[in-house]
């Protein structure tokens, strides 16, 4: 009995099958090589081939590494930009992100950080400038090219009160290890440093992580 042509080569699909010149007579019946018993048998042989000693040793070394040596990312924060500074807020205090909306001044309010009130989905909320609160000079923002930038309102909850914080750009949510936070730079003024828990050591944009409780205290104090 003559052996069919497609059985003469182990990788016949590469030569006479769909990845080859398509001259295999079995293609008329199976349409595609993946439907052919020869292809199925080759796959089974590949999965049953002996494992090389080096492969076993490599995985044994990986599994012997203590899980305690790996950094546990036990917290998350939303990273955004105000002027030239990248900042971050713990995700539990961020309620939502909204488009920019007109801010209406509040009469007889002298705090510069309190911009006014803004309509967010039918609800009025105080709008607060983080730049004013943290002493950030937005005029020093460098010319940024190569990516789209969309200003937004961060809607946050502070002691039961909703606030809207205008930001120049959103980076997104980052998970991090709380114990890996860096100390704020020595150049940061003491007053502004009180707002921060530390610095997220992100590769391209180290971000100052704001202390949610202290920020909430200062936000609510603007309404008194």
């Amino acid at each position: 009995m003559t052996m069919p042509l497609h059985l003469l080569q182990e990788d016949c699909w590469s030569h006479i099958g769909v990845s080859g010149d398509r001259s295999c007579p079995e293609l008329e019946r199976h349409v595609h090589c993946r439907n052919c018993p020869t292809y199925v048998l080759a796959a089974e042989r590949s999965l049953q081939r002996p494992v090389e000693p080096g492969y076993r040793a490599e995985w044994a070394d990986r599994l012997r590494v203590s899980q305690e040596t790996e950094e546990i990312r036990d917290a998350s924060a939303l990273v955004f930009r105000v002027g030239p500074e990248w900042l971050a807020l713990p995700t539990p205090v961020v309620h939502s992100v909204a488009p920019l909306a007109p801010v209406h001044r509040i009469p007889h309010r002298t705090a510069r950080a309190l911009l006014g009130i803004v309509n967010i989905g039918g609800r009025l909320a105080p709008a607060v400038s983080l730049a004013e609160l943290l002493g950030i000079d937005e005029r020093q923002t460098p010319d940024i090219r190569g990516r789209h930038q969309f200003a937004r309102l961060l809607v946050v909850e502070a002691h039961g009160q909703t606030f809207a914080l205008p930001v120049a750009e959103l980076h997104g949510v980052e998970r991090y290890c709380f114990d890996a936070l860096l100390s704020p730079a020595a150049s940061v003024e003491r007053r502004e440093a009180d707002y921060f828990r530390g610095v997220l050591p992100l590769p391209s944009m180290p971000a100052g992580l704001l202390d949610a409780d202290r920020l909430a205290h200062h936000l609510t104090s603007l309404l008194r």
Side-chain angles (χ1 to χ4, degrees):
M1 182 178 67
T2 304
M3 184 176 293
L5 179 62
H6 72 286
L7 294 179
L8 295 179
Q9 296 174 298
E10 280 199 10
D11 58 341
C12 53
W13 54 87
S14 300
H15 302 281
I16 58 177
V18 292
S19 298
D21 60 11
R22 297 177 177 266
S23 62
C24 178
E26 296 297 315
L27 279 178
E28 184 177 352
R29 180 159 61 119
H30 296 300
V31 181
H32 197 283
C33 292
R34 61 171 171 260
N35 303 320
C36 177
T38 302
Y39 191 85
V40 175
L41 288 173
E44 290 178 351
R45 284 197 299 270
S46 178
L47 293 174
Q48 294 169 359
R49 70 186 187 277
V51 177
E52 298 180 359
Y55 180 83
R56 292 176 181 271
E58 179 184 353
W59 273 102
D61 290 339
R62 290 188 183 184
L63 296 175
R64 274 195 296 266
V65 175
S66 172
Q67 296 298 317
E68 296 180 358
T69 62
E70 297 184 5
E71 183 179 271
I72 300 176
R73 299 185 178 185
D74 52 2
S76 62
L78 180 65
V79 180
F80 54 92
R81 182 173 59 80
V82 173
E85 302 293 337
W86 285 100
L87 306 172
L89 263 175
T91 51
V93 303
V94 180
H95 179 270
S96 60
V97 176
L100 286 182
V103 177
H104 304 279
R105 298 290 300 178
I106 303 175
H108 313 299
R109 290 285 181 171
T110 58
R112 295 181 61 181
L114 182 60
L115 301 175
I117 56 174
V118 63
N119 187 327
I120 304 173
R123 294 179 57 193
L124 295 179
V128 176
S129 168
L130 283 178
E132 287 289 345
L133 204 61
L134 303 177
I136 297 173
D137 187 353
E138 295 181 283
R139 296 171 300 178
Q140 295 183 0
T141 304
D143 185 21
I144 300 173
R145 299 181 181 181
R147 67 173 184 266
H148 295 292
Q149 304 168 61
F150 300 99
R152 292 288 187 268
L153 290 175
L154 292 190
V155 184
V156 302
E157 298 288 340
H159 296 169
Q161 171 68 54
T162 300
F163 290 87
L165 310 178
V167 301
E169 183 180 358
L170 282 178
H171 169 69
V173 175
E174 289 281 351
R175 294 194 62 82
Y176 65 93
C177 174
F178 187 80
D179 291 337
L181 288 177
L182 304 177
S183 299
S187 58
V188 177
E189 295 290 338
R190 178 63 187 174
R191 182 176 67 85
E192 286 78 19
D194 287 341
Y195 285 98
F196 293 95
R197 295 295 300 273
V199 177
L200 293 182
L202 303 180
S204 57
M205 54 183 75
L209 178 65
L210 293 167
D211 186 306
D213 291 334
R214 291 179 182 175
L215 179 64
H217 170 74
H218 288 287
L219 288 176
T220 54
S221 68
L222 294 173
L223 302 181
R224 294 171 189 160

